[in-house]
Amino acid sequence: MRQKILQFIKKNILIVAGIAVGAIGGFLYWKFVGCSSGHCPITSSPVNSTLYGALMGGLLFSMGKPDKKKGKEKTETTE
């Protein structure tokens, strides 16, 4: 079980890092900027802000993950 978890994390390290960075960023945004009126759906609660930051961080960092298409689409340049 532990091997599978470590293998998953190693395979998706960028996404895991993005989730962690986004969660920290979302919490810090709530802490220092936040919502004074309490009517903001995302920033009024530290849980919502942290989860939203984690989601956005994971999505942002997943864009940097290279595609592993082996031999399906080879581009050849002809001159």
Side-chain angles (χ1 to χ4, degrees):
M1 181 72 162
R2 183 180 165 120
Q3 281 284 346
K4 288 185 180 185
I5 293 172
L6 291 176
Q7 186 179 21
F8 175 80
I9 290 174
K10 189 180 279 189
K11 184 178 176 183
N12 298 303
I13 190 71
L14 278 177
I15 298 172
V16 172
I19 290 170
V21 169
I24 292 169
F27 179 79
L28 291 176
Y29 186 84
W30 169 80
K31 180 83 171 162
F32 295 110
V33 178
C35 181
S36 60
S37 66
H39 294 294
C40 311
I42 295 173
T43 59
S44 62
S45 165
V47 174
N48 290 345
S49 184
T50 302
L51 290 176
Y52 184 75
L55 175 68
M56 291 298 118
L59 288 173
L60 182 68
F61 277 47
S62 72
M63 291 187 332
K65 187 175 180 181
D67 290 335
K68 295 191 176 184
K69 296 179 181 177
K70 296 181 180 178
K72 289 185 180 178
E73 296 178 19
K74 290 186 179 180
T75 57
E76 296 179 13
T77 58
T78 57
E79 293 181 23

Coordinates of all heavy atoms in Angstrom, one line a residue:
M1 N 0.8 -1.2 0.0 CA 0.0 0.0 0.0 C 0.9 1.3 0.0 O 0.6 2.2 -0.7 CB -0.9 0.0 1.2 CG -1.8 1.1 1.3 SD -3.1 1.0 0.1 CE -4.3 2.1 0.7
R2 N 1.9 1.2 0.9 CA 2.8 2.4 0.9 C 3.5 2.6 -0.4 O 3.7 3.7 -0.8 CB 3.7 2.2 2.1 CG 4.6 3.4 2.3 CD 5.6 3.1 3.5 NE 6.6 4.0 3.5 CZ 6.9 4.9 4.4 NH1 6.1 4.9 5.5 NH2 7.9 5.7 4.4
Q3 N 3.9 1.5 -1.0 CA 4.6 1.6 -2.3 C 3.7 2.3 -3.4 O 4.2 3.1 -4.1 CB 5.0 0.2 -2.8 CG 6.2 -0.4 -2.1 CD 7.5 0.2 -2.7 OE1 7.4 0.9 -3.7 NE2 8.5 0.0 -2.0
K4 N 2.4 1.9 -3.4 CA 1.5 2.5 -4.4 C 1.4 4.0 -4.1 O 1.3 4.8 -5.1 CB 0.2 1.8 -4.3 CG 0.2 0.4 -4.9 CD -1.1 -0.2 -4.9 CE -1.1 -1.6 -5.5 NZ -2.4 -2.2 -5.7
I5 N 1.3 4.4 -2.9 CA 1.1 5.8 -2.6 C 2.4 6.6 -3.0 O 2.3 7.7 -3.6 CB 0.8 6.0 -1.1 CG1 -0.6 5.5 -0.8 CG2 0.9 7.5 -0.7 CD1 -0.9 5.4 0.7
L6 N 3.5 6.1 -2.6 CA 4.8 6.7 -3.0 C 4.9 6.8 -4.5 O 5.4 7.8 -5.1 CB 6.0 6.0 -2.4 CG 6.1 6.2 -0.9 CD1 7.2 5.4 -0.3 CD2 6.3 7.6 -0.5
Q7 N 4.5 5.7 -5.2 CA 4.6 5.7 -6.7 C 3.7 6.7 -7.3 O 4.0 7.4 -8.2 CB 4.3 4.3 -7.2 CG 4.5 4.1 -8.7 CD 4.1 2.7 -9.1 OE1 3.4 2.0 -8.4 NE2 4.6 2.3 -10.2
F8 N 2.5 6.9 -6.7 CA 1.5 7.9 -7.2 C 2.1 9.3 -7.0 O 2.0 10.1 -7.9 CB 0.2 7.7 -6.5 CG -0.8 8.8 -6.8 CD1 -1.5 8.7 -8.0 CD2 -1.0 9.8 -6.0 CE1 -2.4 9.6 -8.4 CE2 -1.9 10.8 -6.4 CZ -2.6 10.7 -7.6
I9 N 2.6 9.5 -5.8 CA 3.2 10.9 -5.6 C 4.3 11.2 -6.5 O 4.5 12.3 -7.0 CB 3.6 11.0 -4.1 CG1 2.3 11.0 -3.2 CG2 4.4 12.3 -3.8 CD1 2.6 11.0 -1.7
K10 N 5.2 10.2 -6.7 CA 6.4 10.4 -7.6 C 5.9 10.7 -9.0 O 6.5 11.5 -9.7 CB 7.3 9.2 -7.5 CG 8.6 9.4 -8.2 CD 9.5 8.2 -8.2 CE 10.2 8.1 -6.8 NZ 11.2 7.1 -6.8
K11 N 4.9 10.0 -9.4 CA 4.4 10.1 -10.8 C 3.7 11.5 -11.0 O 3.8 12.1 -12.0 CB 3.4 9.0 -11.1 CG 2.9 9.0 -12.5 CD 1.9 7.8 -12.7 CE 1.3 7.9 -14.1 NZ 0.4 6.8 -14.3
N12 N 3.1 12.0 -9.9 CA 2.3 13.3 -10.0 C 2.9 14.3 -9.1 O 2.1 15.1 -8.5 CB 0.8 13.0 -9.7 CG 0.2 12.0 -10.6 OD1 0.2 12.3 -11.8 ND2 -0.3 10.9 -10.1
I13 N 4.2 14.5 -9.0 CA 4.8 15.4 -8.1 C 4.4 16.8 -8.4 O 4.3 17.6 -7.4 CB 6.4 15.2 -8.1 CG1 7.0 15.9 -6.9 CG2 7.0 15.6 -9.4 CD1 6.7 15.3 -5.6
L14 N 4.3 17.2 -9.6 CA 3.9 18.6 -9.9 C 2.5 19.0 -9.4 O 2.3 20.0 -8.8 CB 4.0 18.9 -11.4 CG 5.4 19.2 -12.0 CD1 5.3 19.3 -13.5 CD2 6.0 20.4 -11.4
I15 N 1.6 18.0 -9.6 CA 0.3 18.3 -9.1 C 0.2 18.3 -7.6 O -0.5 19.2 -7.0 CB -0.7 17.3 -9.7 CG1 -0.7 17.3 -11.2 CG2 -2.1 17.4 -9.2 CD1 -1.5 16.2 -11.9
V16 N 0.9 17.4 -7.0 CA 0.9 17.4 -5.5 C 1.5 18.7 -5.0 O 1.0 19.3 -4.0 CB 1.7 16.2 -5.0 CG1 1.9 16.2 -3.5 CG2 0.9 14.9 -5.4
A17 N 2.6 19.1 -5.6 CA 3.3 20.4 -5.2 C 2.3 21.6 -5.4 O 2.2 22.5 -4.6 CB 4.6 20.6 -5.9
G18 N 1.6 21.6 -6.5 CA 0.7 22.6 -6.8 C -0.5 22.7 -5.8 O -0.9 23.8 -5.4
I19 N -0.9 21.5 -5.4 CA -2.0 21.5 -4.4 C -1.5 22.1 -3.0 O -2.2 22.9 -2.4 CB -2.5 20.1 -4.2 CG1 -3.3 19.6 -5.4 CG2 -3.4 19.9 -3.0 CD1 -3.7 18.2 -5.5
A20 N -0.3 21.7 -2.7 CA 0.3 22.2 -1.4 C 0.5 23.7 -1.5 O 0.1 24.5 -0.5 CB 1.6 21.5 -1.1
V21 N 1.1 24.2 -2.5 CA 1.4 25.6 -2.7 C 0.1 26.4 -2.7 O -0.1 27.5 -2.1 CB 2.2 25.9 -3.9 CG1 2.3 27.4 -4.3 CG2 3.6 25.3 -3.7
G22 N -0.9 25.9 -3.5 CA -2.2 26.6 -3.6 C -2.9 26.6 -2.3 O -3.6 27.6 -1.9
A23 N -2.9 25.5 -1.5 CA -3.6 25.5 -0.2 C -2.9 26.5 0.7 O -3.7 27.3 1.4 CB -3.5 24.1 0.4
I24 N -1.6 26.6 0.8 CA -0.9 27.6 1.6 C -1.3 29.0 1.1 O -1.6 29.9 2.0 CB 0.6 27.3 1.6 CG1 0.9 26.0 2.3 CG2 1.3 28.5 2.2 CD1 2.3 25.6 2.2
G25 N -1.3 29.2 -0.2 CA -1.6 30.5 -0.7 C -3.1 30.9 -0.4 O -3.3 32.1 -0.1
G26 N -4.0 30.0 -0.5 CA -5.4 30.2 -0.2 C -5.6 30.6 1.2 O -6.3 31.5 1.6
F27 N -4.9 29.9 2.1 CA -5.0 30.2 3.6 C -4.4 31.6 3.9 O -5.0 32.3 4.6 CB -4.3 29.1 4.4 CG -4.4 29.4 5.9 CD1 -5.6 29.1 6.6 CD2 -3.3 30.0 6.6 CE1 -5.7 29.4 7.9 CE2 -3.4 30.3 7.9 CZ -4.6 30.0 8.6
L28 N -3.3 31.8 3.3 CA -2.6 33.2 3.5 C -3.5 34.3 3.0 O -3.5 35.4 3.6 CB -1.2 33.2 2.9 CG -0.2 32.3 3.7 CD1 1.1 32.3 2.9 CD2 0.0 32.7 5.1
Y29 N -4.1 34.1 1.8 CA -5.0 35.1 1.3 C -6.2 35.3 2.3 O -6.6 36.5 2.5 CB -5.6 34.6 -0.1 CG -6.4 35.7 -0.7 CD1 -5.8 36.7 -1.5 CD2 -7.8 35.7 -0.6 CE1 -6.5 37.7 -2.1 CE2 -8.5 36.7 -1.2 CZ -7.9 37.7 -2.0 OH -8.6 38.7 -2.6
W30 N -6.8 34.3 2.8 CA -7.8 34.4 3.8 C -7.3 35.2 5.0 O -8.0 36.1 5.5 CB -8.4 33.1 4.2 CG -9.3 33.2 5.4 CD1 -10.6 33.6 5.4 CD2 -9.0 33.0 6.8 NE1 -11.1 33.6 6.7 CE2 -10.1 33.2 7.5 CE3 -7.8 32.6 7.4 CZ2 -10.1 33.1 8.9 CZ3 -7.8 32.5 8.8 CH2 -9.0 32.7 9.5
K31 N -6.1 34.8 5.5 CA -5.6 35.4 6.7 C -5.3 36.9 6.6 O -5.6 37.7 7.4 CB -4.3 34.7 7.1 CG -3.6 35.1 8.3 CD -4.2 34.5 9.5 CE -3.3 34.9 10.7 NZ -4.0 34.7 11.9
F32 N -4.7 37.3 5.4 CA -4.2 38.7 5.3 C -5.2 39.6 4.5 O -5.2 40.8 4.7 CB -2.8 38.7 4.7 CG -1.8 38.1 5.6 CD1 -1.2 36.9 5.3 CD2 -1.5 38.7 6.8 CE1 -0.3 36.3 6.1 CE2 -0.5 38.2 7.7 CZ 0.1 37.0 7.3
V33 N -5.9 39.0 3.6 CA -6.8 39.8 2.8 C -8.3 39.6 3.2 O -9.0 40.5 3.7 CB -6.7 39.6 1.3 CG1 -7.7 40.3 0.4 CG2 -5.3 39.8 0.8
G34 N -8.7 38.4 3.1 CA -10.0 37.9 3.6 C -11.2 38.7 3.1 O -11.2 39.4 2.0
C35 N -12.3 38.6 3.8 CA -13.5 39.3 3.5 C -14.1 39.9 4.8 O -14.5 39.1 5.7 CB -14.5 38.3 2.9 SG -16.0 39.0 2.4
S36 N -14.1 41.1 4.9 CA -14.5 41.8 6.2 C -16.0 41.7 6.4 O -16.5 41.6 7.5 CB -14.1 43.2 6.2 OG -14.6 43.9 5.1
S37 N -16.8 41.7 5.3 CA -18.3 41.7 5.4 C -18.8 40.3 5.7 O -19.9 40.1 6.2 CB -18.9 42.2 4.2 OG -18.7 41.4 3.1
G38 N -18.1 39.2 5.3 CA -18.6 37.9 5.5 C -19.5 37.4 4.3 O -20.1 36.3 4.4
H39 N -19.7 38.2 3.3 CA -20.6 37.8 2.2 C -19.9 37.2 1.0 O -20.5 36.9 0.0 CB -21.4 39.0 1.7 CG -22.4 39.5 2.8 ND1 -23.5 38.8 3.2 CD2 -22.4 40.7 3.5 CE1 -24.1 39.4 4.1 NE2 -23.5 40.6 4.3
C40 N -18.6 37.1 1.1 CA -17.8 36.5 0.0 C -17.8 35.0 0.1 O -17.4 34.5 1.2 CB -16.3 37.0 0.1 SG -16.2 38.8 0.3
P41 N -18.2 34.3 -0.9 CA -18.4 32.9 -0.8 C -17.1 32.1 -0.6 O -17.1 31.1 0.0 CB -19.1 32.4 -2.1 CG -18.9 33.6 -3.0 CD -18.7 34.8 -2.2
I42 N -16.0 32.6 -1.2 CA -14.7 31.9 -1.1 C -13.9 32.3 0.1 O -13.4 31.5 0.9 CB -13.9 32.0 -2.4 CG1 -14.7 31.3 -3.5 CG2 -12.6 31.4 -2.3 CD1 -14.1 31.5 -4.9
T43 N -13.7 33.6 0.2 CA -12.8 34.2 1.2 C -13.3 34.4 2.6 O -12.6 34.9 3.5 CB -12.1 35.4 0.7 OG1 -13.1 36.4 0.4 CG2 -11.3 35.2 -0.6
S44 N -14.6 34.1 2.8 CA -15.2 34.4 4.1 C -14.8 33.2 5.1 O -14.9 33.4 6.3 CB -16.7 34.5 4.0 OG -17.3 33.3 3.6
S45 N -14.4 32.1 4.6 CA -14.1 31.0 5.5 C -12.7 30.5 5.1 O -12.3 30.4 4.0 CB -15.1 29.8 5.2 OG -14.6 28.6 5.7
P46 N -11.9 30.1 6.2 CA -10.5 29.6 5.9 C -10.5 28.3 5.1 O -9.7 28.0 4.3 CB -9.9 29.5 7.2 CG -11.0 29.5 8.2 CD -12.1 30.2 7.6
V47 N -11.5 27.5 5.4 CA -11.6 26.2 4.7 C -11.9 26.4 3.3 O -11.3 25.8 2.4 CB -12.7 25.3 5.4 CG1 -12.9 24.0 4.6 CG2 -12.4 25.0 6.8
N48 N -12.9 27.2 2.9 CA -13.2 27.4 1.5 C -12.1 28.0 0.8 O -11.7 27.6 -0.3 CB -14.4 28.4 1.4 CG -15.7 27.7 1.9 OD1 -15.8 26.5 2.0 ND2 -16.7 28.5 2.1
S49 N -11.4 29.0 1.4 CA -10.3 29.7 0.8 C -9.1 28.7 0.5 O -8.5 28.7 -0.5 CB -9.8 30.8 1.6 OG -8.8 31.6 1.0
T50 N -8.8 27.8 1.5 CA -7.8 26.9 1.4 C -8.1 25.8 0.3 O -7.2 25.5 -0.5 CB -7.5 26.2 2.7 OG1 -7.2 27.2 3.7 CG2 -6.4 25.2 2.7
L51 N -9.3 25.3 0.3 CA -9.7 24.3 -0.7 C -9.7 24.9 -2.1 O -9.2 24.3 -3.1 CB -11.1 23.7 -0.4 CG -11.1 22.8 0.8 CD1 -12.6 22.4 1.1 CD2 -10.2 21.6 0.6
Y52 N -10.1 26.1 -2.3 CA -10.1 26.8 -3.6 C -8.7 27.0 -4.0 O -8.4 26.8 -5.2 CB -10.9 28.1 -3.5 CG -11.0 28.8 -4.8 CD1 -11.9 28.4 -5.8 CD2 -10.2 29.9 -5.1 CE1 -12.0 29.0 -7.0 CE2 -10.3 30.6 -6.3 CZ -11.2 30.1 -7.3 OH -11.3 30.7 -8.5
G53 N -7.8 27.5 -3.1 CA -6.4 27.6 -3.5 C -5.8 26.3 -3.9 O -5.0 26.3 -4.8
A54 N -6.1 25.3 -3.2 CA -5.5 23.9 -3.5 C -6.0 23.5 -4.9 O -5.2 23.0 -5.7 CB -5.9 22.9 -2.5
L55 N -7.2 23.7 -5.2 CA -7.8 23.4 -6.5 C -7.1 24.1 -7.6 O -6.6 23.6 -8.6 CB -9.3 23.6 -6.6 CG -10.0 23.4 -7.9 CD1 -9.9 21.9 -8.3 CD2 -11.4 23.9 -7.9
M56 N -7.0 25.4 -7.4 CA -6.4 26.3 -8.4 C -4.9 26.0 -8.6 O -4.3 26.0 -9.7 CB -6.5 27.8 -8.1 CG -8.0 28.3 -8.2 SD -8.6 28.1 -9.9 CE -9.9 27.0 -9.7
G57 N -4.2 25.7 -7.5 CA -2.8 25.4 -7.5 C -2.6 24.0 -8.3 O -1.6 23.9 -9.1
G58 N -3.4 23.1 -8.0 CA -3.3 21.8 -8.7 C -3.5 21.9 -10.2 O -2.8 21.3 -11.0
L59 N -4.5 22.7 -10.5 CA -4.8 22.9 -12.0 C -3.7 23.7 -12.6 O -3.3 23.3 -13.8 CB -6.1 23.7 -12.1 CG -7.4 22.9 -11.8 CD1 -8.6 23.8 -11.9 CD2 -7.6 21.7 -12.8
L60 N -3.2 24.7 -12.0 CA -2.1 25.5 -12.6 C -0.8 24.7 -12.8 O -0.2 24.7 -13.8 CB -1.8 26.7 -11.7 CG -0.8 27.7 -12.2 CD1 -1.3 28.4 -13.4 CD2 -0.4 28.7 -11.1
F61 N -0.4 23.9 -11.8 CA 0.8 23.1 -11.8 C 0.6 21.9 -12.8 O 1.6 21.4 -13.3 CB 1.2 22.7 -10.5 CG 2.0 23.7 -9.7 CD1 1.6 25.0 -9.6 CD2 3.2 23.3 -9.1 CE1 2.3 25.9 -8.9 CE2 3.9 24.2 -8.3 CZ 3.5 25.5 -8.2
S62 N -0.6 21.5 -13.0 CA -0.8 20.3 -13.9 C -0.6 20.7 -15.3 O -0.4 19.9 -16.2 CB -2.2 19.7 -13.7 OG -3.2 20.6 -14.2
M63 N -0.6 22.0 -15.6 CA -0.4 22.5 -17.0 C 1.1 22.3 -17.4 O 1.4 22.1 -18.6 CB -0.8 23.9 -17.2 CG -2.2 24.2 -17.1 SD -2.8 25.8 -17.5 CE -1.5 26.9 -17.0
G64 N 2.0 22.2 -16.4 CA 3.4 22.0 -16.7 C 3.8 20.6 -16.8 O 4.9 20.3 -17.1
K65 N 2.9 19.6 -16.6 CA 3.2 18.2 -16.7 C 3.3 17.8 -18.2 O 2.4 18.0 -19.0 CB 2.1 17.4 -16.0 CG 2.4 15.9 -15.9 CD 1.3 15.2 -15.1 CE 1.7 13.8 -15.0 NZ 0.7 13.0 -14.3
P66 N 4.4 17.2 -18.5 CA 4.6 16.8 -19.9 C 3.7 15.6 -20.3 O 3.5 14.7 -19.5 CB 6.1 16.4 -20.0 CG 6.4 16.0 -18.6 CD 5.6 16.9 -17.7
D67 N 3.3 15.6 -21.6 CA 2.5 14.5 -22.0 C 3.4 13.3 -22.4 O 4.5 13.5 -22.9 CB 1.7 14.8 -23.3 CG 0.6 15.8 -23.0 OD1 0.1 15.8 -21.8 OD2 0.2 16.5 -23.9
K68 N 3.0 12.1 -22.1 CA 3.9 11.0 -22.4 C 3.2 10.1 -23.5 O 2.8 9.0 -23.2 CB 4.1 10.1 -21.1 CG 4.9 10.9 -20.1 CD 5.3 10.0 -19.0 CE 6.2 10.8 -18.0 NZ 6.7 10.0 -17.0
K69 N 3.2 10.7 -24.7 CA 2.7 9.9 -25.8 C 3.8 9.3 -26.5 O 4.7 9.9 -27.1 CB 1.9 10.9 -26.8 CG 0.7 11.5 -26.2 CD 0.1 12.4 -27.2 CE -1.1 13.1 -26.6 NZ -1.8 14.0 -27.5
K70 N 3.9 8.0 -26.4 CA 5.1 7.2 -26.9 C 4.8 6.8 -28.3 O 4.1 5.8 -28.5 CB 5.4 6.1 -26.0 CG 5.9 6.5 -24.7 CD 6.3 5.3 -23.8 CE 6.7 5.8 -22.4 NZ 7.0 4.6 -21.6
G71 N 5.4 7.4 -29.3 CA 5.3 7.0 -30.7 C 4.0 7.2 -31.4 O 3.9 6.8 -32.5
K72 N 3.0 7.8 -30.8 CA 1.7 8.0 -31.4 C 1.8 9.1 -32.5 O 1.3 9.0 -33.5 CB 0.6 8.2 -30.4 CG 0.3 7.0 -29.6 CD -0.9 7.3 -28.7 CE -1.2 6.0 -27.9 NZ -2.2 6.3 -26.9
E73 N 2.4 10.2 -32.1 CA 2.5 11.4 -33.0 C 3.9 11.8 -33.0 O 4.4 12.6 -32.2 CB 1.6 12.5 -32.4 CG 0.1 12.2 -32.4 CD -0.7 13.3 -31.9 OE1 -0.2 14.4 -31.8 OE2 -1.8 13.1 -31.5
K74 N 4.6 11.4 -34.1 CA 5.9 11.8 -34.3 C 5.9 12.9 -35.4 O 5.3 12.7 -36.4 CB 6.8 10.7 -34.7 CG 7.1 9.7 -33.6 CD 8.0 8.6 -34.1 CE 8.3 7.6 -33.0 NZ 9.3 6.6 -33.5
T75 N 6.5 14.0 -35.0 CA 6.6 15.1 -36.0 C 7.9 15.0 -36.7 O 9.0 15.0 -36.1 CB 6.4 16.5 -35.4 OG1 7.4 16.6 -34.4 CG2 5.0 16.6 -34.7
E76 N 7.9 15.0 -38.0 CA 9.1 15.0 -38.8 C 9.1 16.2 -39.7 O 8.1 16.6 -40.3 CB 9.1 13.7 -39.7 CG 9.1 12.4 -38.9 CD 9.1 11.2 -39.9 OE1 9.3 11.4 -41.1 OE2 8.9 10.1 -39.4
T77 N 10.3 16.8 -39.7 CA 10.5 18.0 -40.6 C 11.1 17.5 -41.9 O 12.0 16.8 -42.0 CB 11.4 19.0 -39.9 OG1 12.6 18.4 -39.6 CG2 10.8 19.5 -38.6
T78 N 10.5 18.0 -42.9 CA 11.0 17.7 -44.3 C 11.4 19.0 -44.9 O 10.7 20.0 -44.8 CB 10.0 17.0 -45.2 OG1 8.8 17.9 -45.2 CG2 9.6 15.7 -44.6
E79 N 12.5 19.0 -45.6 CA 13.0 20.2 -46.2 C 13.1 20.0 -47.7 O 13.3 19.0 -48.2 CB 14.4 20.6 -45.7 CG 14.3 21.0 -44.2 CD 15.7 21.4 -43.7 OE1 16.6 21.8 -44.4 OE2 15.8 21.3 -42.5

